[in-house]
Structure formats: structure tokens, C-alpha cells
Amino acid sequence: MTPLAQWPVAWRRAIRGVFTDIDDTLTHDGCIAPEALKALGDLKAAGLTVIPITGRPVGWCEPFLAGADSAAWPVDAIVAENGAVALVPAKASSISAGHPGCGPRPPGVRAPPSKRYQQAAATRAANRLRMDAIAAQVCAEVPGMERSADSAGRETDLALDHAEFARHSPETVQRVLALLQNHGMQTTVSSIHIHGCFGDFNKWTGACWILRELTGRDLTTELDHWVFVGDSGNDQPMFQHFTHSVGVANIARFAPQLTHLPRYVARGERGAGFAEVARAVLQGR
């Protein structure tokens, strides 16, 4: 990985959009770092498209785009559950429009974001039953293994906690991955969770999908204009495909286990590292 400072200014000037991981890239202990939130706003104010993409559940992400306008993240969408579902903020015209029969929405309060899925409702329902049964089996067979604390908000994948509240060894993580894969699940590992799903979902396919959904454009043809920022194993598809990719400094924890590393690495960890990337992009203007 090359130090971020060596990212050529000419390449930075070409950037028009940013995809970013959330956990341990924008956040620390589940809360967004103030400098990362400011960096999101700075990027949007400069006219860039900004899309966080995460293994977290769609229900966990919803508060970031709803409620008080002043508290909402300044982003164009959030892709959740490793690419299977996305939240798109309400348009500005609907922020205070309210609902028919309910009166106007209070000033500055956003309408709920819309959800978009890559799977049909019937498929999601059938997969949910299968995943619940598999989760029960894994938790029974692997001592101390539990579903993630945010599982109630998940709609398309299964997540097991290896490092958010629990502390499991790499050997245990590999054992759980093997169990999920034996059931035909696609798997990945984030900085905190082990994920399994039925469907060809990962952050790269999710990024390509949401850009088509929002703009009709093909991400694969315009990678010179995008940068991705991340920190862990489930970011590898993005590191593999993006022309411009950056790891925040805490990626060092996972680097020995990764097949695909980012091209550049920031000096700062977590939100400070993301803010460093945002400054690098904006300095190229």
C-alpha cells in the first residue's frame, strides 16, 4: 500500500464520487466521528456523489437518512447488507410535505428514505426462514457464537458477531465460515461480523447496482472518477476493482489476511483517515 500523500493530484482532480465503508472507516464504536461527518458534508458541498456501503443492516442505517434534517447524513444513498438493499433519501421537495390526511411535516424533518432491493419479496421471505435455521445451528455448534446485536434490522443476510461485542479467534471465524458455506451461503467477514447470504451480493456488485438505479450509468466505465475508502475483509471486492482505493490506517489489523489490498493507505485511523481522504480529493480541485 502506497501512502495517500503519493496519490497524484491529477488523478484526484478527476474524482467525482466517493464510496465508503461505514464501520471503523467513518465510525468508532458504532458512532460516526465528527471529522468524518464534516468530511461527508464537505464532499457533497463540492458537488461529489457520496455513497456509504456497509455490511450493517438496512434497519440500522435508516436513522442516518430520516428524522431531523440537521442530523441526517449528507449522502446520496446508503447501500446496506453488503449490497443487497439500499436506502435513498427523500427528495428535497418531500422534506416538509407530509402525508395525505396527516397534515404538513414539521419544518426541517425529512420523510423516510425509500428502500430498493436486488431480490423479490418472496425470495427474501424464503431466504429469511433458511437463514434463521442456519443461525440456530451455528450458534448451537460453536461455543459462544451469537447473532449480531443488530440482527433485528436485517432483511437479506445473516450476521454473527466475532468482534463487536464478542471476541472470537481467527480459527473460530474460519469454522463459522465453513459451516455457512456448507449450506451454500456466500460469505464475507467485516471488521466486526461474519456475514452469510443467499445471492450474489458483495459491495462491488452493490455499488454497480446502486449507480445504475440512481443514474442509469455503468460504474465499470467510469472508475477513473471514483474512489473507495475501507478497512476490512468485506471491502476486498472494492479494493480489487476500483482504480482508486484507500484504506484507513486501521486496515493494518487485517492486511495480512487480505488477498486484495487498497492502492493507498491514509495516516489516520477510522474517521480521521476518511477525513484525510476527503481533504486529498478536495485539495485536487
Side-chain angles (χ1 to χ4, degrees):
M1 296 180 287
T2 302
L4 180 62
Q6 296 182 32
W7 188 13
V9 173
W11 292 359
R12 298 185 222 167
R13 288 197 186 109
I15 298 300
R16 297 291 178 266
V18 178
F19 279 98
T20 178
D21 173 51
I22 293 180
D23 276 299
D24 293 322
T25 299
L26 298 178
T27 69
H28 182 62
D29 291 335
C31 297
I32 190 166
E35 60 266 45
L37 185 59
K38 180 180 184 301
L40 292 174
D42 291 343
L43 291 166
K44 282 298 299 170
L48 279 77
T49 300
V50 182
I51 303 176
I53 185 163
T54 181
R56 285 285 194 174
V58 65
W60 184 87
C61 296
E62 283 187 88
F64 306 145
L65 297 183
D69 189 37
S70 60
W73 288 13
V75 299
D76 294 274
I78 297 179
V79 182
E81 301 181 25
N82 286 310
V85 55
L87 293 167
V88 179
K91 293 182 179 178
S93 60
S94 67
I95 288 176
S96 59
H99 296 287
C102 297
R105 196 179 308 280
V109 176
R110 288 179 174 266
S114 62
K115 292 182 184 179
R116 304 189 188 189
Y117 298 92
Q118 292 209 63
Q119 286 178 326
T123 301
R124 298 197 306 270
N127 287 346
R128 181 78 272 157
L129 293 175
R130 295 170 70 191
M131 289 188 290
D132 287 344
I134 292 167
Q137 176 194 339
V138 171
C139 292
E141 291 187 15
V142 181
M145 185 57 61
E146 295 183 355
R147 296 180 74 158
S148 64
D150 61 13
S151 288
R154 293 187 179 276
E155 299 187 25
T156 63
D157 80 341
L158 165 65
L160 298 148
D161 184 354
H162 76 86
E164 185 175 25
F165 300 105
R167 290 293 178 269
H168 288 290
S169 68
E171 293 75 19
T172 298
V173 171
Q174 290 304 311
R175 180 181 177 189
V176 171
L177 287 171
L179 288 170
L180 299 181
Q181 291 162 6
N182 285 342
H183 285 282
M185 301 188 83
Q186 179 168 297
T187 60
T188 189
V189 181
S190 75
S191 60
I192 54 176
H193 295 154
I194 304 164
H195 296 272
C197 68
F198 292 107
D200 186 20
F201 302 125
N202 60 50
K203 289 189 177 184
W204 166 247
T205 58
C208 293
W209 164 67
I210 195 58
L211 192 64
R212 286 195 305 270
E213 283 281 307
L214 296 178
T215 70
R217 303 203 313 266
D218 182 354
L219 180 60
T220 65
T221 67
E222 53 181 78
L223 283 172
D224 285 348
H225 300 299
W226 291 83
V227 61
F228 172 72
V229 190
D231 80 301
S232 65
N234 65 336
D235 295 323
Q236 287 190 93
M238 302 291 264
F239 296 149
Q240 178 182 3
H241 287 95
F242 269 68
T243 304
H244 308 293
S245 60
V246 186
V248 290
N250 44 291
I251 196 173
R253 172 186 169 194
F254 297 103
Q257 302 148 30
L258 302 183
T259 302
H260 301 286
L261 291 167
R263 176 172 290 191
Y264 302 102
V265 63
R267 294 189 308 272
E269 295 189 347
R270 300 179 174 86
F274 179 81
E276 186 182 331
V277 178
R279 287 194 300 272
V281 170
L282 297 175
Q283 285 166 2
R285 294 297 183 268

